[in-house]
Amino acid sequence: MDRFAAVERELRKAAPHLLLDVATAALRERYDVEGVELRLADYGMTTLQVVSEAPLAEPVPVHDSPQGRAFGAQEPYVEPLAGTGRATVHLPVSVRGDRMGVLSVTAPRASCSPDELAGMQQICEALGHEILVAERDTDLYLLARRATRLTLAAEMQWQLLPGRSVTRPEFSMGAHLEPAYAIFGDNFDWSVSAHHLTLTVTNGMGKGMEAALLTNLVVNSLRNARRAGLDLAGQASLADQAVYAQHRGSLYASVLLLRFDLATGEVEAVDAGSPRMWRLRGRGVEPIDFDAQLPLGMFEETEYVTERLVVEPGDRLLIGSDGVYDGASKAGERYGERALARSLSAHRLLPSEQVPLAVLRDLRDYRSAAPLDDDALVVCLDWFGRGSSAGDVSA
């Protein structure tokens, strides 16, 4: 433990661009590793990109690659190197359930015991925490996440996000936006306290910069209201007033606001527009319908009312934007009518952080590979509850 604490201290003291050097030195000293390489997942969650000021290595796919196996399973994956007595070890880098990337090292086979791998993994966890802090001061890690250039609107939207997944004893959650490099008005936000999870899913009106600016106003208004201690209806009302004051009803935003009581599973909801929710309970999938209220900013001083439901351990909730459930097949049937429920049921054994991408892949197939003509946002939440065995959503 003292040795690991020393590594943490060295990482905290290191310059932001030298974090990998510090982790490499610690791994070499303790486990005789060589060939250390850090890759981060790109915004589209399709490739793992090398972190380097002058990257020479090609990206590797998240699917069907050794690095991708460690990234997907969130467990070390060992590749023996025949005839050498060494192995390449791929170690996931994540922070509180938010999957960031993979650290790959070449090590002696003797260093690949469960205890040694656990020690390497501790260093990876410390590295992940420091990368998050370092992103305030350097672009090195953010640049490694882009397989191509972001539009300005997408840049603004990605900077708003709290992460792409989060895990707590009471729940796990993952989310994804497509098209990742040209998103417009869709966004999600969450905050977790000792007693509550607050989740918001936003669909801003318009395209490009207009939509991005509107969504920034909505998300920051909701955060301001939440941090001021307002209840859920109050948060919606404050954001509604902010948007109306700016646009006088010419632009508005659809939002679904949810507040979960971590102890009881009771949920407050305000449905102010188009994001919709489905629940997988046991083997049955059903839409969760709320009373539709006016989008934020449509009229002056709209009053919002909360509704309630209860989630049970084992429940899986999926929230989709209109770019998901309104996607149409060649026959003209909307994805949300039947196909989305089939997709959610088919992927019920996947962890929550992998479900959004799986549902979006099914959507692309459903549309016969036609390009998306709107943002597509999926959020998946698995509810475990307090005092239950986390992770079992297959019952």
Side-chain angles (χ1 to χ4, degrees):
M1 183 59 68
D2 290 342
R3 294 169 60 193
F4 176 64
V7 176
E8 284 189 312
R9 287 193 296 270
E10 290 302 312
L11 284 167
R12 284 197 296 268
K13 291 190 298 183
H17 63 286
L18 295 178
L19 295 178
L20 182 58
D21 292 346
V22 173
T24 298
L27 288 164
R28 284 176 175 161
E29 177 185 349
R30 290 160 176 77
Y31 306 105
D32 191 25
V33 309
E34 57 187 40
V36 180
E37 179 183 77
L38 174 63
R39 292 177 178 268
L40 297 180
D42 83 306
Y43 288 113
M45 295 288 277
T46 58
T47 61
L48 292 161
Q49 316 254 127
V50 170
V51 175
S52 172
E53 293 186 357
L56 300 176
E58 291 293 320
V60 299
V62 167
H63 302 286
D64 301 322
S65 70
Q67 296 92 332
R69 289 186 64 167
F71 182 77
Q74 287 295 285
E75 294 179 354
Y77 176 66
V78 179
E79 278 189 289
L81 299 176
T84 66
R86 302 179 75 81
T88 300
V89 182
H90 305 288
L91 300 148
V93 178
S94 61
V95 179
R96 293 190 176 93
D98 191 6
R99 300 180 301 162
M100 300 173 65
V102 175
L103 188 73
S104 300
V105 302
T106 302
R109 291 295 302 275
S111 295
C112 297
S113 68
D115 287 345
E116 301 295 316
L117 290 177
M120 293 185 199
Q121 191 62 61
Q122 280 190 305
I123 293 175
C124 286
E125 290 172 4
L127 176 62
H129 278 274
E130 293 308 314
I131 287 174
L132 281 185
V133 176
E135 286 180 346
R136 300 180 305 178
D137 303 314
T138 180
D139 288 336
L140 177 64
Y141 307 104
L142 292 172
L143 289 172
R145 296 183 182 185
R146 38 192 89 191
T148 186
R149 183 176 177 177
L150 293 172
T151 65
L152 179 55
E155 184 91 46
M156 294 172 64
Q157 298 290 60
W158 279 108
Q159 292 304 309
L160 277 178
L161 299 180
R164 288 185 289 201
S165 54
V166 62
T167 299
R168 282 277 299 264
E170 299 89 352
F171 68 89
S172 67
M173 180 163 55
H176 191 69
L177 280 163
E178 281 291 341
Y181 293 89
I183 51 178
F184 302 125
D186 285 6
N187 208 273
F188 57 87
D189 192 30
W190 59 64
S191 176
V192 188
S193 69
H195 305 292
H196 296 96
L197 160 68
T198 302
L199 168 65
T200 61
V201 178
T202 305
N203 184 359
M205 181 181 176
K207 297 272 186 185
M209 282 299 299
E210 181 180 64
L213 288 168
L214 174 61
T215 302
N216 267 260
L217 175 60
V218 172
V219 171
N220 282 295
S221 297
L222 290 169
R223 287 175 176 173
N224 177 256
R226 185 183 71 232
R227 293 164 184 169
L230 298 184
D231 61 16
L232 209 63
Q235 294 171 31
S237 294
L238 188 146
D240 170 71
Q241 293 169 21
V243 175
Y244 187 83
Q246 184 69 28
H247 298 289
R248 313 305 294 183
S250 62
L251 292 177
Y252 45 86
S254 298
V255 180
L256 178 63
L257 299 91
L258 302 168
R259 188 170 185 260
F260 296 77
D261 187 308
L262 298 179
T264 66
E266 294 181 357
V267 185
E268 294 178 276
V270 173
D271 182 353
S274 61
R276 296 181 185 172
M277 185 163 73
W278 287 258
R279 177 176 61 203
L280 171 65
R281 176 172 288 174
R283 296 183 179 273
V285 178
E286 60 180 340
I288 303 298
D289 295 321
F290 300 108
D291 292 333
Q293 302 179 66
L294 292 173
L296 305 185
M298 181 174 281
F299 298 106
E300 188 173 10
E301 295 185 357
T302 303
E303 292 187 7
Y304 292 92
V305 178
T306 58
E307 299 177 68
R308 296 180 183 274
L309 72 149
V310 177
V311 287
E312 300 176 358
D315 281 355
R316 167 168 285 178
L317 303 179
L318 185 134
I319 302 167
S321 65
D322 56 0
V324 176
Y325 60 77
D326 274 345
S329 67
K330 282 186 175 181
E333 183 178 357
R334 302 295 179 185
Y335 187 62
E337 292 178 24
R338 289 182 294 180
L340 189 150
R342 289 198 299 267
S343 178
L344 182 55
S345 182
H347 300 303
R348 62 188 179 83
L349 297 181
L350 287 179
S352 60
E353 62 269 18
Q354 295 185 30
V355 171
L357 275 170
V359 170
L360 289 169
R361 283 195 298 270
D362 290 347
L363 171 62
R364 282 193 291 271
D365 293 341
Y366 187 77
R367 292 169 53 89
S368 301
L372 291 171
D373 51 12
D374 192 6
D375 290 355
L377 164 61
V378 175
V379 179
C380 179
L381 182 145
D382 286 344
W383 187 259
F384 309 133
R386 286 190 173 164
S388 63
S389 56
D392 182 10
V393 296
S394 61

